[in-house]
Amino acid sequence: MNAHEIDFHISGTEMQYVEIELDPGESVIAEAGSMMMMDPSISMQTIFGDGSQQTGLMGKLLGAGKRLLTGESLFMTVFTNNGYDKEKVAFAAPYPGKILPMDLTEYQYKIICQKDSFLCAAKGVSVGIEFQRKLGTGFFGGEGFIMQKVEGDGLAFLHACGTIVERELRPGEKIRIDTGCLVAMTQNVDYDIEFVKGIKTAFFGGEGLFFATLKGPGKVWIQSLPFSRLADRVISAAGYANRKGEGSLLGGLFNGDR
């Protein structure tokens, strides 16, 4: 095993956090700002790159460049147990949803996931980019040409908004989902984009112009609420935050709105 072997416990329902137990000398990598709490013997160190154990300047620059293309910071944080007993460090999800523990050895050492879904992982796991080879998928797939890939032989933790559905696709089996609802998939799944048939359905159906089509064999993880959809609802409701008598017809008539 190249990655450190770690133990963990996930707590919470809507706003979850994962508590990771480290033996002396073990480490975990995480995105900046995700740490919730840690024991006294845990130390923090900022590293340049994608979290893999690459050596040499070119290897580190390549890992950092991959993270830059996905919109992430050039740096990650390593948390290491420098004590003599087991110590714990916890990482919190940034918004309501679920934390998914992924043992990469069960998925041929690689998971493809949406950008911003990575939370933390055992040291030795790398977080890189996965280019979409099909032109239509790149332009209309909701994630652009680039998705994240998490590689290694250790535990990784992803986070997604809403409730997560895990679906096992048989060889040749297809499923169509909203482009923003795809959380992750194994590398054998064929990912493509399908145009919504019918002009009226496409423009007035309220579901967008494109579906994501996933074809097995493989496993996919689907979220009930894409974060972009949640953000749109919050932004649209923000204009009502300072209204008096919110929720009533008269409140909207007599609070200065026209």
Side-chain angles (χ1 to χ4, degrees):
M1 294 276 293
N2 291 319
H4 292 191
E5 297 184 54
I6 58 176
D7 299 313
F8 71 94
H9 177 72
I10 296 176
S11 301
T13 52
E14 288 81 14
M15 291 295 294
Q16 293 187 325
Y17 70 93
V18 56
E19 188 176 59
I20 295 177
E21 184 178 77
L22 299 175
D23 292 330
E26 285 185 340
S27 301
V28 60
I29 61 172
E31 293 289 0
S34 60
M35 194 274 290
M36 175 182 171
M37 57 184 175
M38 61 183 181
D39 289 338
S41 295
I42 302 290
S43 67
M44 298 170 54
Q45 179 185 5
T46 300
I47 60 172
F48 185 70
D50 60 359
S52 62
Q53 298 176 345
Q54 295 189 62
T55 59
L57 179 60
M58 289 305 299
K60 293 181 179 180
L61 286 175
L62 180 60
K66 291 177 181 179
R67 290 181 52 76
L68 189 63
L69 285 173
T70 59
E72 302 290 349
S73 168
L74 292 176
F75 301 92
M76 300 187 76
T77 306
V78 179
F79 298 82
T80 303
N81 180 5
N82 291 322
Y84 299 99
D85 298 313
K86 293 179 181 292
E87 298 279 312
K88 295 179 180 179
V89 57
F91 303 94
Y95 44 80
K98 299 296 180 183
I99 295 176
L100 298 174
M102 298 283 193
D103 185 349
L104 298 178
T105 60
E106 298 179 0
Y107 306 113
Q108 298 178 311
Y109 308 102
K110 178 180 176 180
I111 287 289
I112 300 170
C113 57
Q114 64 178 219
K115 292 182 290 186
D116 302 322
S117 62
F118 175 77
L119 183 63
C120 60
K123 186 178 181 181
V125 172
S126 66
V127 184
I129 58 174
E130 180 76 12
F131 287 99
Q132 296 301 321
R133 293 179 296 272
K134 298 179 181 178
L135 186 63
T137 303
F139 278 116
F140 308 115
E143 296 294 337
F145 284 105
I146 302 171
M147 296 180 73
Q148 279 187 330
K149 63 178 178 181
V150 183
E151 293 182 297
D153 56 4
L155 277 170
F157 299 88
L158 307 181
H159 177 263
C161 194
T163 300
I164 309 301
V165 177
E166 184 178 309
R167 183 77 176 264
E168 182 78 40
L169 298 179
R170 299 184 301 272
E173 182 181 4
K174 290 184 179 181
I175 183 174
R176 295 188 298 176
I177 65 174
D178 182 272
T179 55
C181 290
L182 176 63
V183 176
M185 60 186 176
T186 54
Q187 56 184 313
N188 292 332
V189 173
D190 183 36
Y191 177 50
D192 204 353
I193 293 300
E194 180 180 331
F195 183 74
V196 176
K197 296 180 179 179
I199 297 296
K200 291 191 295 183
T201 302
F203 282 96
F204 306 111
E207 300 297 336
L209 299 177
F210 302 93
F211 291 122
T213 301
L214 305 174
K215 181 180 178 182
K219 185 173 289 188
V220 297
W221 291 263
I222 305 165
Q223 61 185 0
S224 63
L225 178 62
F227 180 72
S228 59
R229 191 180 300 172
L230 174 63
D232 288 341
R233 291 298 180 94
V234 172
I235 292 172
S236 65
Y240 299 95
N242 59 353
R243 292 187 177 183
K244 298 178 181 179
E246 183 178 357
S248 67
L249 177 62
L250 293 179
L253 293 175
F254 296 102
N255 65 358
D257 295 321
R258 295 292 185 265

